[in-house]
Amino acid sequence: MAVSPTPSTSQEPPQPRAGRGSVAARVHWRFWRYPIGVQSLIAVALGAAIGWAFPVVGEGLKILGDAFLNAVQMVVVPLVFPLIVLGISRMESVKKVGRIAGKSILYFEIVTTVILLLAVGLAKAFDLGVGAPTSGGDAAAVGNLQQGVDFHELLLHAIPKNVFQAFAEGNLLGVIVFATLVGIALAALGEKARPVNDVLDSFAGAMFKVVGYVIAFAPLGVLGFIAYDVAHYGFGNLVSLLGFVGVVYLGLILVLGVVFPVIAAIYGVRYVAMLRSIGDLAGLAFVTRSSEAVLAPLLGRLEKFGVSRSTSSFVVPLGYSFNTDGSVLYQAVALVFIANAFGLDTSWGSLLLMVGVLVVLSKGMAGVASASVVVLLAASTTIGLPPEGVALLLGVDFIVDMARTGVNVVGNSLAAAVIDRSEIRGARRRGEPLPADLDAAAAADPAGGAGTDGSPGAAAGGPAPSAPAGADEGHPSPVTADRAGAPAPDERVDATQGSQR
């Protein structure tokens, strides 16, 4: 006889009711699902409020920013080294390495000179600094800074006697030189170097993952920096030097809106599309005041945009040392401001002397602490301006530093795209087959060859090419394919979206 089952006396555990705790958890979860740019904007507002309302707390939060930057700097050198080595070892010849390096340096010098002339012209047109108060500057404030740029030390800095010391100190210029030599050596070995290349490629992939983890905490770093800046500096200096800050920002806007688009049009670079691709990274550099914070994801974005990995991994790190477009504009405007404030000569002859001095000194910024202020101080001393003028501007340096850092990121991105397009055009003129990474870039972006083979492109006014199928669904596009078949940086991790793919 069948026995009916006895009903179980156990009951399902009651579901928690929606309350304050669950609402807070949902808000917390929703915040971390926002893009990193939105998170950073929220952190900026919150940090400014804390720094203004609770200055002591704001200054204490600086540890968050310092910890974030330390974490970024921890992975910059381990990432840059394998990328440069791989980029050079996979080039077809040592001659190509020299050609790209020569084009890069020439480009940096020409663009720097144009931006310096624009800067001194703007400052002269606005009579910037005339009648400005000079009593607020304390020369002792710059007394602990390096008083000039020692080019003898700069050369030795680029050729370290101990490569492990260069790695430990974060000597990016020395690492670039050493990585270039290793890349050339591996290229000379040919097929024998494949195991080393495979190891370096895997290591670079791991570093991209680590960078993704670090960038996820960027909003906390932004919160700490903004809270400290507002608490420590306040808004008083901003009011008294509002004209100087305004002219610097106007100059940077002209660089972004006029100078860079003209350069991009000449070489068929889709400038607006590039800005869309890297805009949030430039914004992150703006709020953190650190271009190193976005180096790793920037290389990935440029590769996705259509710049070959071999070019971007060489030009961008080199530009971090020698192509600081936003910084040189600030320095030129500052020199004119100081000269006018102290009633010194600002004739066009003197202004051209300032330009010449900065063209030379700005290339010595690599490896110098407080680089922009040091170069400004060195230039002031060279042309006979008082150091009190430099000290006068220190109170608003953090405000202009944000903008010039963001422009530096855009400028180096454009430099990589321009050199890449130049390589494509040169290969087509010579009738040479394109290397695999350049061929993928040219196929994905016909604008790179505009003007050389009749193909339509942005420079000729043609429509921008559409993205390859699947590129927006998280699948790697042909643009990001590496010669060795390894996943591109954006496929490994899109660090700026706050989540891994």
Side-chain angles (χ1 to χ4, degrees), residues 97-110:
V97 179
R99 185 173 65 242
I100 290 180
K103 287 180 179 180
S104 300
I105 297 298
L106 180 62
Y107 174 89
F108 297 160
E109 290 293 344
I110 293 174

Side-chain angles (χ1 to χ4, degrees), residues 378-402:
S380 299
T381 304
T382 302
I383 61 180
L385 298 180
E388 291 83 358
V390 179
L392 183 68
L393 300 176
L394 290 181
V396 295
D397 184 69
F398 82 98
I399 300 173
V400 293
D401 188 27
M402 294 190 293

Side-chain angles (χ1 to χ4, degrees), residues 123-410:
K124 178 73 172 176
F126 283 94
D127 285 329
L128 191 62
V130 174
T134 59
S135 58
D138 181 7
V142 295
N144 294 328
L145 292 176
Q146 184 176 324
Q147 298 298 304
V149 176
D150 188 337
F151 286 94
H152 178 268
E153 289 298 323
L154 177 65
L155 178 60
L156 296 180
H157 195 72
I159 310 175
K161 58 183 178 182
N162 187 332
V163 68
F164 296 104
Q165 183 180 2
F167 274 80
E169 294 177 349
N171 176 3
L172 190 59
L173 190 57
V175 171
I176 290 173
V177 171
F178 179 69
T180 301
L181 295 175
V182 174
I184 292 173
L186 292 178
L189 288 175
E191 191 64 26
K192 293 181 180 179
R194 178 174 291 274
V196 179
N197 286 338
D198 291 342
V199 170
L200 289 175
D201 195 77
S202 298
F203 183 74
M207 286 299 100
F208 273 109
K209 285 287 188 182
V210 173
V211 169
Y213 304 148
V214 172
I215 295 297
F217 291 94
L220 292 178
V222 171
L223 173 68
F225 279 128
I226 297 299
Y228 172 80
D229 287 339
V230 173
H232 186 74
Y233 296 105
F235 297 103
N237 285 324
L238 175 61
V239 174
S240 62
L241 296 173
L242 195 59
F244 170 76
V245 174
V247 171
V248 171
Y249 270 73
L250 174 61
L252 294 174
I253 290 172
L254 290 177
V255 169
L256 289 174
V258 178
V259 177
F260 286 171
V262 169
I263 296 172
I266 292 173
Y267 284 90
V269 176
R270 293 177 296 124
Y271 182 67
V272 175
M274 187 192 78
L275 286 183
R276 288 173 181 165
S277 179
I278 67 166
D280 58 336
L281 298 181
L284 183 59
F286 178 93
V287 294
T288 60
R289 296 162 53 196
S290 172
S291 53
E292 286 185 345
V294 299
L295 176 57
L298 180 64
L299 295 176
R301 293 291 184 86
L302 288 175
E303 192 170 350
K304 186 176 182 180
F305 173 68
V307 180
S308 67
R309 186 193 296 190
S310 60
T311 301
S312 62
S313 61
F314 183 82
V315 175
V316 174
L318 189 66
Y320 269 42
S321 296
F322 294 102
N323 186 43
T324 53
D325 299 326
S327 297
V328 296
L329 184 139
Y330 157 76
Q331 291 153 7
V333 173
L335 286 181
V336 177
F337 177 90
I338 295 170
N340 279 331
F342 286 88
L344 302 177
D345 181 24
T346 56
S347 64
W348 277 107
S350 298
L351 296 181
L352 291 177
L353 175 62
M354 293 180 187
V355 170
V357 169
L358 285 175
V359 165
V360 175
L361 293 182
S362 63
K363 299 302 175 278
M365 294 176 68
V368 179
S370 303
S372 290
V373 178
V374 169
V375 172
L376 179 57
L377 186 60
S380 299
T381 304
T382 302
I383 61 180
L385 298 180
E388 291 83 358
V390 179
L392 183 68
L393 300 176
L394 290 181
V396 295
D397 184 69
F398 82 98
I399 300 173
V400 293
D401 188 27
M402 294 190 293
R404 70 190 183 218
T405 303
V407 171
N408 288 345
V409 170
V410 177

Side-chain angles (χ1 to χ4, degrees), residues 5 37 46 59 66 91 93 182 250 437 459 479:
L46 185 58
E59 293 204 7
D66 291 339
M91 289 183 184
S93 66
V182 174
L250 174 61
D437 51 355
V479 180

